[in-house]
Amino acid sequence: MFGNSVLQLNDSVYKLNKIDSIQFETLKFYVSAIEFWNNSAPVWIEPNSFHLMDASDSNTLKLAFKVPSDMIYAEIKFKLGIDSLTNVSGAIGGDLDPIKGMYWTWQSGYVNFKLEGKSNLCRSRKHEFQFHLGGYTHPYNSLQTISLLTSNLQDVSIKFDLKTFLSDVDLENKPSVMSPNKDALILSNQLGKLFKIKE
Amino acid sequence: MNWRRNVSVCLLFICVSAFVTSKDGLFNIPLNWPKPNYNFSKNPLTKDKIDLGRALFYDPILSQNNTISCSSCHSQFTAFAHVDHALSHGIYDRIGTRNAPVLINLAWNKTFMWDGAINHLDMQALAPISHPDEMGESIEHVIYKLNQSKIYHHLFFKAFGDSIASGEHLLKAISQFMLTLVSANSKYDSLKRKESVFTRQEKNGYKLYKQNCASCHTEPLFTNQKFENNGLPLDLELKDFGRMKVTQNPNDSLKFKVPTLRNIEFSYPYMHDGRFKNLNAVLDHYTTGIVKSKTLALQLEQPIVLSANEKIDLISFLLTLSDKKFLFNTEFGYPKNILLSLPKD
């Protein structure tokens, strides 16, 4: 989402305020450790739960789960990013395969969240911005745990608003964060708060 | 080994996986060595996977202009270090910023690279493949190229039962080959097995090593795998602060991973930037060249004192760490036979 509109990559232009314009090229992130909770206890935990969400491939944005038919839950929990154990476990296939472009090559670790695009606000080359957020070691562990209360039992839509995210970012002076550090941690903490249930 | 079964489930598991790696002779833990750090149960060695990894290690297909292979910088005759280059050379003769280390006994490594930036052997190959000054490729494109090749269809199928290459399989296969690079057949090792004896010089050198060097270059791997500042002055051009780049912690400034001293005879030039051409220069550094700074290792705060004769003795001991059998082991060389036995592209 961006403000009130559904996000489109590439051609669509978005505005934070009147004078700027923003275009998105890449939005990819990992959702992992999905759990359904009821009465403060987990009722269903997805095994081997790692999903790469890629805005350029709408199929990846929908997740379906095979759960017991009578399951009741009031809360969905998941993590934004990849936990530290998985980060040190060597080569893994599927959505975690490093060919998915979500692995740092010069310093081991998964990129939890990647957002790239252009904006006239950025003073960088070609006005590009890049946010590759990750980091699995203390004190820059950027993994986020997200818990959302919901009353829907069939189809749950979760949204997050990039507009809020970018409003907090200093696009002008810090248009890129590309390694695990303090900036990545701060931005990740902000991102974690932006996931909401769409009623 | 059966007695362990009664102790705990966890030990039983170690017991079983150690058994699997040694039964087929693909990987043996040398006598009195610690348990490897690599988790073989997630990537069990097989002959076909090792062969695939070896083919990849020697194949310039991994580089952007198909000119550089892993072996261009890691050559068997120098225990897989870079022959006589201080800073390694990559595609289009671009020069990197660090000296290529030996590739031996990697199954015991806890971290990789001089600053430990890589956390797992499987992930190591990604770094040179995508480094613009090394192989300048992307893993995505390497996989694409491999999937165009009949030879690799064949090799991937034999290894993984799937002729389509994936990043996971590529990386695991390269790891398998590197895991087999165990060097434990030096004169020092045969002495430990009571199969030979040191000369008087070597014996004295061993004593001096134990006094001055063993706290960091610890037996039997000749490294304690820690990050230390051994008092090298900062190179003002390269400005390499080592471990600090990874942890962003100022206490790690100028610390580098303690390298092994095994096969040190062949892995010159020395140090992370290859600044010393020979072992004499290294010893001169330890006796008279130490630069004091906040992060300097405690052991090196008092200068190491070695007479000219003692230096000669110490070097004669270091030369007993050379493993010629390893350097000339045909199992580790260019995989002519593997490639010849296959259909041509």
Side-chain angles (χ1 to χ4, degrees), chain A residues 72-122:
Chain A
I72 306 264
Y73 62 90
E75 196 175 2
I76 298 177
K77 286 185 196 254
F78 61 92
K79 297 210 155 78
L80 178 63
I82 302 296
D83 64 282
S84 46
L85 182 65
T86 308
N87 262 293
V88 298
S89 297
I92 307 175
D95 274 1
L96 293 173
D97 195 311
I99 59 173
K100 300 283 180 186
M102 293 292 276
Y103 198 88
W104 273 303
T105 55
W106 42 268
Q107 174 174 339
S108 300
Y110 283 96
V111 179
N112 291 334
F113 178 93
K114 193 184 248 193
L115 179 68
E116 296 172 340
K118 284 184 198 158
S119 166
N120 61 350
L121 288 175
C122 305

Side-chain angles (χ1 to χ4, degrees), chain A residues 8-27:
Chain A
Q8 302 274 325
L9 291 183
N10 297 323
D11 297 334
S12 306
V13 178
Y14 297 91
K15 284 178 178 305
L16 285 176
N17 52 44
K18 287 210 180 80
I19 47 161
D20 57 31
S21 74
I22 299 179
Q23 278 166 285
F24 298 100
E25 270 147 33
T26 313
L27 169 62

Side-chain angles (χ1 to χ4, degrees), chain A residues 37-186:
Chain A
W37 285 54
N38 202 20
N39 297 330
S40 322
V43 287
W44 190 79
I45 297 177
E46 189 187 29
N48 208 2
S49 178
F50 298 101
H51 306 273
L52 179 58
M53 319 293 270
D54 181 346
S56 69
D57 176 0
S58 58
N59 290 330
T60 66
L61 300 177
K62 276 207 183 93
L63 300 176
F65 307 98
K66 282 213 173 81
V67 298
S69 53
D70 54 352
M71 184 176 90
I72 306 264
Y73 62 90
E75 196 175 2
I76 298 177
K77 286 185 196 254
F78 61 92
K79 297 210 155 78
L80 178 63
I82 302 296
D83 64 282
S84 46
L85 182 65
T86 308
N87 262 293
V88 298
S89 297
I92 307 175
D95 274 1
L96 293 173
D97 195 311
I99 59 173
K100 300 283 180 186
M102 293 292 276
Y103 198 88
W104 273 303
T105 55
W106 42 268
Q107 174 174 339
S108 300
Y110 283 96
V111 179
N112 291 334
F113 178 93
K114 193 184 248 193
L115 179 68
E116 296 172 340
K118 284 184 198 158
S119 166
N120 61 350
L121 288 175
C122 305
R123 288 207 220 134
S124 51
R125 217 183 69 167
K126 296 195 202 147
H127 305 294
E128 287 170 346
F129 61 85
Q130 286 122 339
F131 298 101
H132 298 182
L133 308 181
Y136 64 92
T137 47
H138 181 78
Y140 302 120
N141 187 345
S142 65
L143 185 69
Q144 301 296 314
T145 302
I146 293 155
S147 302
L148 300 171
L149 294 172
T150 175
S151 51
N152 286 353
L153 289 182
Q154 279 276 314
D155 295 310
V156 183
S157 300
I158 297 175
K159 62 171 186 179
F160 78 95
D161 190 350
L162 280 174
K163 188 172 180 179
T164 327
F165 175 66
L166 286 177
S167 312
D168 286 343
V169 168
D170 185 356
L171 274 181
E172 193 174 339
N173 299 309
K174 269 194 194 165
S176 86
V177 176
M178 306 278 280
S179 57
N181 57 24
K182 207 166 145 189
D183 290 328
L185 185 67
I186 295 172

Side-chain angles (χ1 to χ4, degrees), chain B residues 42 189 331:
Chain B
K42 286 211 172 146
D189 296 297
E331 303 262 302

Side-chain angles (χ1 to χ4, degrees), chain B residues 24-309:
Chain B
D24 40 26
L26 295 173
F27 186 89
N28 294 310
I29 300 175
L31 197 68
N32 296 329
W33 279 33
K35 189 171 96 44
N37 196 55
Y38 192 87
N39 184 348
F40 286 92
S41 68
K42 286 211 172 146
N43 187 17
L45 297 189
T46 69
K47 175 85 177 56
D48 289 328
K49 290 180 188 165
I50 296 170
D51 282 353
L52 168 62
R54 183 169 158 205
L56 290 164
F57 189 89
Y58 281 94
D59 196 335
I61 194 169
L62 298 189
S63 70
Q64 184 206 57
N65 56 0
N66 298 322
T67 57
I68 301 273
S69 69
C70 307
S71 65
S72 311
C73 295
H74 298 286
S75 116
Q76 182 181 9
F77 305 108
T78 58
F80 293 98
H82 203 170
V83 194
D84 208 16
H85 277 304
L87 301 175
S88 56
H89 288 213
I91 52 162
Y92 308 118
D93 261 337
R94 289 185 195 146
I95 297 181
T97 58
R98 287 194 186 148
N99 182 239
V102 292
L103 304 184
I104 55 171
N105 306 331
L106 292 168
W108 285 267
N109 267 36
K110 295 196 175 106
T111 59
F112 302 85
M113 299 296 209
W114 285 100
D115 54 11
I118 305 293
N119 67 24
H120 195 290
L121 184 59
D122 294 357
M123 296 334 215
Q124 171 69 41
L126 289 172
I129 288 174
S130 33
H131 195 297
D133 292 338
E134 293 184 354
M135 302 168 102
E137 250 297 4
S138 74
I139 177 89
E140 294 85 344
H141 192 237
V142 167
I143 294 291
Y144 171 81
K145 286 196 287 189
L146 292 173
N147 280 329
Q148 308 295 305
S149 149
K150 272 205 200 96
I151 293 185
Y152 281 107
H153 272 222
H154 198 83
L155 288 176
F156 271 92
F157 186 78
K158 265 175 85 181
F160 292 100
D162 183 354
S163 58
I164 308 289
S166 71
E168 181 193 9
H169 289 166
L170 169 86
L171 296 172
K172 284 190 160 159
I174 298 181
S175 276
Q176 294 225 346
F177 172 64
M178 292 197 287
L179 288 165
T180 64
L181 304 176
V182 176
S183 174
N185 259 316
S186 62
K187 179 168 183 190
Y188 159 86
D189 296 297
S190 67
L191 184 109
K192 289 279 154 181
R193 293 194 300 260
K194 305 211 163 48
E195 291 161 11
S196 65
V197 285
F198 277 154
T199 65
R200 206 170 42 83
Q201 260 192 348
E202 290 164 353
K203 206 168 162 187
N204 192 41
Y206 187 32
K207 198 186 85 194
L208 293 166
Y209 151 81
K210 283 203 206 156
Q211 281 164 5
N212 298 298
C213 322
S215 64
C216 293
H217 299 283
T218 315
E219 296 170 81
L221 293 159
F222 287 86
T223 165
N224 61 5
Q225 306 224 34
K226 292 197 177 128
F227 297 91
E228 297 284 4
N229 173 353
N230 70 338
L232 296 171
L234 177 69
D235 181 318
L236 291 175
E237 215 173 296
L238 296 171
K239 291 217 173 67
D240 192 340
F241 290 93
R243 183 70 178 157
M244 187 171 84
K245 187 170 149 231
V246 176
T247 62
Q248 313 206 17
N249 181 345
N251 294 332
D252 288 332
S253 172
L254 298 172
K255 289 189 184 171
F256 290 85
K257 195 173 65 188
V258 175
T260 179
L261 297 181
R262 286 181 173 272
N263 295 305
I264 199 73
E265 178 180 4
F266 309 103
S267 61
Y268 60 87
Y270 301 113
M271 304 299 167
H272 66 269
D273 52 6
R275 64 176 72 189
F276 298 133
K277 288 212 166 54
N278 53 48
L279 290 171
N280 288 321
V282 171
L283 292 189
D284 289 346
H285 162 71
Y286 280 110
T287 50
T288 55
I290 300 279
V291 173
K292 301 233 158 146
S293 64
K294 269 194 202 133
T295 57
L296 178 66
L298 285 178
Q299 302 96 302
L300 297 173
E301 273 188 355
Q302 299 301 317
I304 291 178
V305 183
L306 296 170
S307 70
N309 276 339

